[in-house]
Amino acid sequence: MTFDIEFPDLTAERVGNTDTAGVWHFDSGVLGPSVLFTALIHGNELCGAWALKDLLASGFRPARGKLTLAFCNLDAFDSFDPQVHDASRFADEDLNRVWTEPKLANSTTRERRRALELKPWVVQADYLLDLHSMHEPSPPLLITGVLPRNIDLGLRLGVPRHLVVDAGHKDGTRMRDYAQFGDPDGQALALLIECGFHGDLSSIRVAKQAVGEVLRVSGLAQAGQLPADWEAEVDSSLAQQVLDVTEPVVAKSKSLSFTQPWQGMECIEKAGTVIGHDDGVPITTPYDNCVLIMPSLRQLLPGVTVVRFARQRH
C-alpha cells in the first residue's frame, strides 16, 4: 500500500486563535449549537488535518452558533514518517483511550496532558465529528456508539454508507463517548468517521464531505456557503447500512494471525468459520452472515481489538 497523501504544513494552523495550541474557535454571535471538529487524534491520520486546514483556508465562518476546529495530537504528528506511519499514531499512549476522569487526573503521558488542554473545548460542544482514517484499505465507516440519537444523526447525514454501532474499546474510552456525548439522558451528538486508508487521497474527500454535512445538518452552514466539493455525493441506489457490533476480538497474545488478509466489511456466510488463530486457538465467526469490522494486526498487542463482529440491522 502506498501512502499518497502529502504531509500538511500546519505551521499556521497549530498556532490557533485561542489559548490552546492548534484550536480555532469562531462565534457567530447568533444563537445556535456549538460544533466541534477534531483531527489528528492519531498523528498518522492526515485526512482530517487536511479537511480542517482547507476549511480554515476557505474563510468559512458559521452562519449561527459556534464552530471549533482542533488539531489534536501535535506531538505524534510531528514524528510522522510515511515509511513507518504507524509509529506516529501516538507519542506515549492512544489519545482516544484516555477520556475518563481517573486517567485525566493522572496526567503522566503527553496524551493525557493534551487531553486536559482540549477538555474545555470538548465539554462545551453540542456536536462532535471526530475525523479518523484506517490502518487498512476499507470503505468509509461512521462509528455512532450505541445511543439512538447518534445513529439518527448518521442517517440524517446520508454518508457514508456504513454506520457501525458499537460500545467502544476495552482498553479505554474514546472522546466521542466522553462526558455529555456518552450521557444516555443528554442531547449532545457525537460521531467518529473512519474515512478510509491513512494514505488514500480519497479519505480527504470523505472527511471534507462529512464535515460539510455536519455543518449543514447543524445549521452552521447555509446553502451554497461551502465549495461544491464539500457536498456529499449520495448514491440513491445504495441505502445506508446500520451494523450492530456484537463483540470485539481482543488479542490475547502477540502471535495472533488471520487466515487471510481481511480488508473489512466482508460478510462471512456461515457461523463457525475460522478467520484466524490466537496462540493456536481458532477465532471463529459467532453467527451466520457475520460482518468483519476494521480487521488489522498493525497495532497487535495483548488487549488490543483486532477485529469486531457485527450484524446488519434490518
Side-chain angles (χ1 to χ4, degrees), residues 243 249 258-276 283-293 295 307-312:
L243 299 162
V249 175
F258 290 139
T259 55
Q260 59 181 278
W262 305 111
Q263 297 294 300
M265 305 310 299
E266 293 93 348
C267 184
I268 309 301
E269 184 178 1
K270 295 296 183 182
T273 300
V274 177
I275 66 158
I283 302 168
T284 59
T285 52
Y287 40 80
D288 291 348
N289 298 316
C290 179
V291 180
L292 305 184
I293 305 294
V307 67
R308 283 165 273 187
F309 294 140
R311 280 191 177 103
Q312 183 174 342

Short mmCIF file of all heavy atoms in Angstrom, two decimals, residues 243 249 258-276 283-293 295 307-312:
data_model
loop_
_atom_site.label_atom_id
_atom_site.label_comp_id
_atom_site.label_asym_id
_atom_site.label_seq_id
_atom_site.Cartn_x
_atom_site.Cartn_y
_atom_site.Cartn_z
N LEU A 243 -24.87 -1.38 11.12
CA LEU A 243 -24.24 -2.63 11.53
C LEU A 243 -24.03 -2.61 13.04
O LEU A 243 -23.34 -1.72 13.57
CB LEU A 243 -22.89 -2.79 10.83
CG LEU A 243 -22.97 -2.86 9.30
CD1 LEU A 243 -21.61 -2.59 8.68
CD2 LEU A 243 -23.48 -4.23 8.86
N VAL A 249 -12.99 -8.87 18.92
CA VAL A 249 -11.96 -9.88 19.12
C VAL A 249 -10.74 -9.16 19.68
O VAL A 249 -10.12 -8.34 19.00
CB VAL A 249 -11.61 -10.60 17.80
CG1 VAL A 249 -10.45 -11.56 18.01
CG2 VAL A 249 -12.83 -11.34 17.26
N PHE A 258 -4.42 -13.84 11.07
CA PHE A 258 -5.65 -14.09 10.32
C PHE A 258 -5.39 -15.17 9.27
O PHE A 258 -4.25 -15.35 8.81
CB PHE A 258 -6.13 -12.81 9.64
CG PHE A 258 -6.67 -11.77 10.59
CD1 PHE A 258 -6.38 -10.42 10.42
CD2 PHE A 258 -7.50 -12.12 11.65
CE1 PHE A 258 -6.87 -9.46 11.27
CE2 PHE A 258 -8.01 -11.17 12.52
CZ PHE A 258 -7.70 -9.83 12.32
N THR A 259 -6.47 -15.83 8.86
CA THR A 259 -6.35 -16.87 7.84
C THR A 259 -6.14 -16.28 6.45
O THR A 259 -5.67 -16.98 5.54
CB THR A 259 -7.60 -17.75 7.82
OG1 THR A 259 -8.75 -16.91 7.62
CG2 THR A 259 -7.74 -18.54 9.11
N GLN A 260 -6.51 -15.02 6.28
CA GLN A 260 -6.27 -14.31 5.02
C GLN A 260 -6.25 -12.82 5.32
O GLN A 260 -6.67 -12.39 6.41
CB GLN A 260 -7.32 -14.66 3.97
CG GLN A 260 -8.75 -14.35 4.35
CD GLN A 260 -9.71 -14.77 3.24
OE1 GLN A 260 -9.91 -14.05 2.26
NE2 GLN A 260 -10.31 -15.95 3.39
N PRO A 261 -5.79 -12.01 4.39
CA PRO A 261 -5.69 -10.57 4.66
C PRO A 261 -7.04 -9.87 4.55
O PRO A 261 -7.35 -9.19 3.57
CB PRO A 261 -4.71 -10.08 3.58
CG PRO A 261 -4.88 -11.05 2.45
CD PRO A 261 -5.15 -12.38 3.11
N TRP A 262 -7.86 -10.03 5.58
CA TRP A 262 -9.17 -9.40 5.59
C TRP A 262 -9.03 -7.88 5.46
O TRP A 262 -8.18 -7.27 6.09
CB TRP A 262 -9.92 -9.74 6.88
CG TRP A 262 -10.05 -11.20 7.17
CD1 TRP A 262 -9.43 -11.89 8.17
CD2 TRP A 262 -10.85 -12.15 6.47
NE1 TRP A 262 -9.78 -13.22 8.14
CE2 TRP A 262 -10.66 -13.41 7.10
CE3 TRP A 262 -11.71 -12.08 5.38
CZ2 TRP A 262 -11.29 -14.57 6.68
CZ3 TRP A 262 -12.35 -13.23 4.95
CH2 TRP A 262 -12.14 -14.46 5.60
N GLN A 263 -9.91 -7.27 4.67
CA GLN A 263 -9.87 -5.82 4.45
C GLN A 263 -10.95 -5.08 5.22
O GLN A 263 -10.87 -3.86 5.40
CB GLN A 263 -10.05 -5.53 2.96
CG GLN A 263 -8.93 -6.08 2.10
CD GLN A 263 -7.60 -5.41 2.38
OE1 GLN A 263 -7.45 -4.21 2.23
NE2 GLN A 263 -6.63 -6.19 2.82
N GLY A 264 -11.97 -5.77 5.68
CA GLY A 264 -13.08 -5.13 6.37
C GLY A 264 -14.33 -5.11 5.51
O GLY A 264 -14.28 -4.97 4.29
N MET A 265 -15.48 -5.27 6.13
CA MET A 265 -16.81 -5.31 5.53
C MET A 265 -17.10 -6.63 4.81
O MET A 265 -18.14 -6.76 4.15
CB MET A 265 -17.05 -4.14 4.57
CG MET A 265 -16.82 -2.77 5.20
SD MET A 265 -17.68 -2.58 6.80
CE MET A 265 -19.38 -2.78 6.31
N GLU A 266 -16.19 -7.62 4.93
CA GLU A 266 -16.52 -8.95 4.41
C GLU A 266 -17.68 -9.53 5.23
O GLU A 266 -17.71 -9.40 6.46
CB GLU A 266 -15.33 -9.89 4.51
CG GLU A 266 -14.16 -9.54 3.61
CD GLU A 266 -13.12 -8.66 4.27
OE1 GLU A 266 -13.40 -8.12 5.37
OE2 GLU A 266 -12.03 -8.50 3.70
N CYS A 267 -18.62 -10.14 4.55
CA CYS A 267 -19.74 -10.81 5.22
C CYS A 267 -19.49 -12.31 5.13
O CYS A 267 -19.52 -12.89 4.04
CB CYS A 267 -21.07 -10.44 4.56
SG CYS A 267 -22.52 -11.13 5.38
N ILE A 268 -19.24 -12.94 6.29
CA ILE A 268 -18.90 -14.36 6.35
C ILE A 268 -20.20 -15.14 6.51
O ILE A 268 -20.91 -14.99 7.52
CB ILE A 268 -17.94 -14.65 7.51
CG1 ILE A 268 -16.73 -13.69 7.47
CG2 ILE A 268 -17.50 -16.10 7.46
CD1 ILE A 268 -15.92 -13.75 6.20
N GLU A 269 -20.50 -15.97 5.53
CA GLU A 269 -21.83 -16.58 5.42
C GLU A 269 -22.16 -17.53 6.57
O GLU A 269 -23.28 -17.53 7.08
CB GLU A 269 -21.93 -17.31 4.09
CG GLU A 269 -23.31 -17.90 3.83
CD GLU A 269 -23.41 -18.59 2.48
OE1 GLU A 269 -22.39 -18.61 1.74
OE2 GLU A 269 -24.50 -19.10 2.15
N LYS A 270 -21.20 -18.36 6.98
CA LYS A 270 -21.52 -19.44 7.91
C LYS A 270 -20.91 -19.20 9.30
O LYS A 270 -19.73 -18.84 9.42
CB LYS A 270 -21.00 -20.78 7.37
CG LYS A 270 -21.69 -21.23 6.09
CD LYS A 270 -23.18 -21.49 6.33
CE LYS A 270 -23.84 -22.03 5.06
NZ LYS A 270 -25.31 -22.24 5.27
N ALA A 271 -21.72 -19.41 10.33
CA ALA A 271 -21.21 -19.39 11.70
C ALA A 271 -20.16 -20.47 11.88
O ALA A 271 -20.23 -21.54 11.26
CB ALA A 271 -22.36 -19.62 12.69
N GLY A 272 -19.15 -20.20 12.69
CA GLY A 272 -18.10 -21.17 12.95
C GLY A 272 -16.96 -21.13 11.96
O GLY A 272 -16.02 -21.94 12.05
N THR A 273 -17.00 -20.20 11.00
CA THR A 273 -15.91 -20.06 10.03
C THR A 273 -14.66 -19.55 10.74
O THR A 273 -14.72 -18.56 11.49
CB THR A 273 -16.29 -19.10 8.90
OG1 THR A 273 -17.45 -19.61 8.22
CG2 THR A 273 -15.15 -18.93 7.92
N VAL A 274 -13.55 -20.19 10.53
CA VAL A 274 -12.30 -19.77 11.16
C VAL A 274 -11.71 -18.60 10.37
O VAL A 274 -11.46 -18.71 9.17
CB VAL A 274 -11.28 -20.93 11.22
CG1 VAL A 274 -9.95 -20.45 11.81
CG2 VAL A 274 -11.84 -22.09 12.03
N ILE A 275 -11.52 -17.47 11.05
CA ILE A 275 -10.93 -16.30 10.37
C ILE A 275 -9.52 -16.01 10.86
O ILE A 275 -8.84 -15.14 10.31
CB ILE A 275 -11.81 -15.05 10.56
CG1 ILE A 275 -11.84 -14.61 12.05
CG2 ILE A 275 -13.21 -15.28 10.02
CD1 ILE A 275 -12.21 -13.16 12.24
N GLY A 276 -9.06 -16.73 11.90
CA GLY A 276 -7.72 -16.52 12.41
C GLY A 276 -7.42 -17.44 13.58
O GLY A 276 -8.24 -18.29 13.95
N ILE A 283 -10.09 -18.54 15.92
CA ILE A 283 -11.03 -17.42 16.06
C ILE A 283 -12.13 -17.67 15.04
O ILE A 283 -11.86 -17.74 13.82
CB ILE A 283 -10.36 -16.07 15.78
CG1 ILE A 283 -9.18 -15.85 16.73
CG2 ILE A 283 -11.36 -14.93 15.90
CD1 ILE A 283 -8.29 -14.68 16.33
N THR A 284 -13.37 -17.85 15.50
CA THR A 284 -14.46 -18.24 14.61
C THR A 284 -15.59 -17.23 14.65
O THR A 284 -15.83 -16.56 15.66
CB THR A 284 -15.02 -19.62 15.00
OG1 THR A 284 -15.49 -19.58 16.35
CG2 THR A 284 -13.94 -20.68 14.87
N THR A 285 -16.30 -17.13 13.54
CA THR A 285 -17.46 -16.23 13.48
C THR A 285 -18.59 -16.81 14.33
O THR A 285 -18.87 -18.00 14.29
CB THR A 285 -17.94 -16.05 12.04
OG1 THR A 285 -18.14 -17.34 11.44
CG2 THR A 285 -16.92 -15.28 11.24
N PRO A 286 -19.29 -15.96 15.10
CA PRO A 286 -20.27 -16.47 16.06
C PRO A 286 -21.65 -16.72 15.47
O PRO A 286 -22.49 -17.33 16.13
CB PRO A 286 -20.33 -15.36 17.11
CG PRO A 286 -19.96 -14.12 16.36
CD PRO A 286 -18.98 -14.53 15.31
N TYR A 287 -21.93 -16.25 14.26
CA TYR A 287 -23.27 -16.42 13.67
C TYR A 287 -23.16 -16.30 12.15
O TYR A 287 -22.13 -15.86 11.62
CB TYR A 287 -24.27 -15.39 14.21
CG TYR A 287 -23.70 -14.01 14.39
CD1 TYR A 287 -23.54 -13.13 13.31
CD2 TYR A 287 -23.29 -13.56 15.65
CE1 TYR A 287 -23.00 -11.87 13.48
CE2 TYR A 287 -22.75 -12.30 15.84
CZ TYR A 287 -22.61 -11.45 14.75
OH TYR A 287 -22.08 -10.20 14.92
N ASP A 288 -24.23 -16.71 11.48
CA ASP A 288 -24.27 -16.58 10.02
C ASP A 288 -24.25 -15.12 9.61
O ASP A 288 -24.72 -14.24 10.35
CB ASP A 288 -25.54 -17.24 9.46
CG ASP A 288 -25.53 -18.76 9.58
OD1 ASP A 288 -24.47 -19.33 9.89
OD2 ASP A 288 -26.61 -19.36 9.39
N ASN A 289 -23.74 -14.85 8.41
CA ASN A 289 -23.71 -13.50 7.83
C ASN A 289 -23.08 -12.50 8.80
O ASN A 289 -23.63 -11.43 9.08
CB ASN A 289 -25.13 -13.07 7.44
CG ASN A 289 -25.73 -13.97 6.38
OD1 ASN A 289 -25.05 -14.33 5.42
ND2 ASN A 289 -26.98 -14.36 6.57
N CYS A 290 -21.92 -12.86 9.28
CA CYS A 290 -21.16 -12.04 10.23
C CYS A 290 -20.26 -11.08 9.45
O CYS A 290 -19.48 -11.50 8.59
CB CYS A 290 -20.33 -12.94 11.13
SG CYS A 290 -19.31 -12.07 12.32
N VAL A 291 -20.38 -9.79 9.73
CA VAL A 291 -19.59 -8.77 9.04
C VAL A 291 -18.34 -8.45 9.86
O VAL A 291 -18.41 -8.25 11.09
CB VAL A 291 -20.42 -7.49 8.82
CG1 VAL A 291 -19.58 -6.43 8.08
CG2 VAL A 291 -21.69 -7.81 8.02
N LEU A 292 -17.20 -8.40 9.19
CA LEU A 292 -15.93 -8.09 9.85
C LEU A 292 -15.69 -6.58 9.77
O LEU A 292 -15.66 -6.00 8.69
CB LEU A 292 -14.78 -8.83 9.18
CG LEU A 292 -14.92 -10.35 9.06
CD1 LEU A 292 -13.64 -10.95 8.47
CD2 LEU A 292 -15.25 -10.99 10.40
N ILE A 293 -15.51 -5.97 10.93
CA ILE A 293 -15.32 -4.52 11.02
C ILE A 293 -13.86 -4.21 11.36
O ILE A 293 -13.35 -4.64 12.40
CB ILE A 293 -16.25 -3.89 12.08
CG1 ILE A 293 -17.71 -4.26 11.82
CG2 ILE A 293 -16.05 -2.38 12.15
CD1 ILE A 293 -18.28 -3.68 10.56
N PRO A 295 -10.66 -5.12 10.51
CA PRO A 295 -9.63 -6.07 10.92
C PRO A 295 -8.24 -5.49 10.66
O PRO A 295 -7.96 -4.95 9.60
CB PRO A 295 -9.89 -7.28 10.02
CG PRO A 295 -10.55 -6.70 8.81
CD PRO A 295 -11.35 -5.53 9.27
N VAL A 307 -10.36 -7.00 15.48
CA VAL A 307 -11.50 -7.01 14.56
C VAL A 307 -12.76 -7.00 15.43
O VAL A 307 -12.71 -7.37 16.61
CB VAL A 307 -11.48 -8.25 13.62
CG1 VAL A 307 -11.71 -9.54 14.38
CG2 VAL A 307 -12.49 -8.10 12.48
N ARG A 308 -13.86 -6.55 14.84
CA ARG A 308 -15.14 -6.61 15.54
C ARG A 308 -16.14 -7.36 14.67
O ARG A 308 -16.14 -7.22 13.44
CB ARG A 308 -15.65 -5.18 15.82
CG ARG A 308 -14.93 -4.52 16.98
CD ARG A 308 -15.16 -3.03 17.04
NE ARG A 308 -14.17 -2.33 16.22
CZ ARG A 308 -14.05 -1.00 16.19
NH1 ARG A 308 -14.84 -0.24 16.90
NH2 ARG A 308 -13.13 -0.43 15.43
N PHE A 309 -16.99 -8.17 15.32
CA PHE A 309 -18.04 -8.91 14.62
C PHE A 309 -19.32 -8.07 14.68
O PHE A 309 -19.66 -7.51 15.72
CB PHE A 309 -18.30 -10.26 15.29
CG PHE A 309 -17.15 -11.23 15.18
CD1 PHE A 309 -16.81 -12.04 16.26
CD2 PHE A 309 -16.42 -11.35 14.01
CE1 PHE A 309 -15.77 -12.94 16.17
CE2 PHE A 309 -15.38 -12.25 13.90
CZ PHE A 309 -15.05 -13.06 14.99
N ALA A 310 -20.06 -8.03 13.55
CA ALA A 310 -21.26 -7.21 13.50
C ALA A 310 -22.34 -7.89 12.68
O ALA A 310 -22.06 -8.68 11.76
CB ALA A 310 -20.96 -5.83 12.93
N ARG A 311 -23.60 -7.54 13.00
CA ARG A 311 -24.77 -7.98 12.25
C ARG A 311 -25.41 -6.75 11.56
O ARG A 311 -25.48 -5.68 12.17
CB ARG A 311 -25.84 -8.57 13.17
CG ARG A 311 -25.64 -9.98 13.63
CD ARG A 311 -26.92 -10.46 14.29
NE ARG A 311 -26.86 -11.84 14.71
CZ ARG A 311 -26.69 -12.24 15.96
NH1 ARG A 311 -26.56 -11.34 16.92
NH2 ARG A 311 -26.66 -13.51 16.27
N GLN A 312 -25.89 -6.94 10.36
CA GLN A 312 -26.63 -5.86 9.71
C GLN A 312 -28.01 -5.75 10.31
O GLN A 312 -28.72 -6.75 10.48
CB GLN A 312 -26.72 -6.08 8.20
CG GLN A 312 -27.42 -4.94 7.48
CD GLN A 312 -27.40 -5.08 5.98
OE1 GLN A 312 -26.60 -5.83 5.42
NE2 GLN A 312 -28.28 -4.35 5.31
#
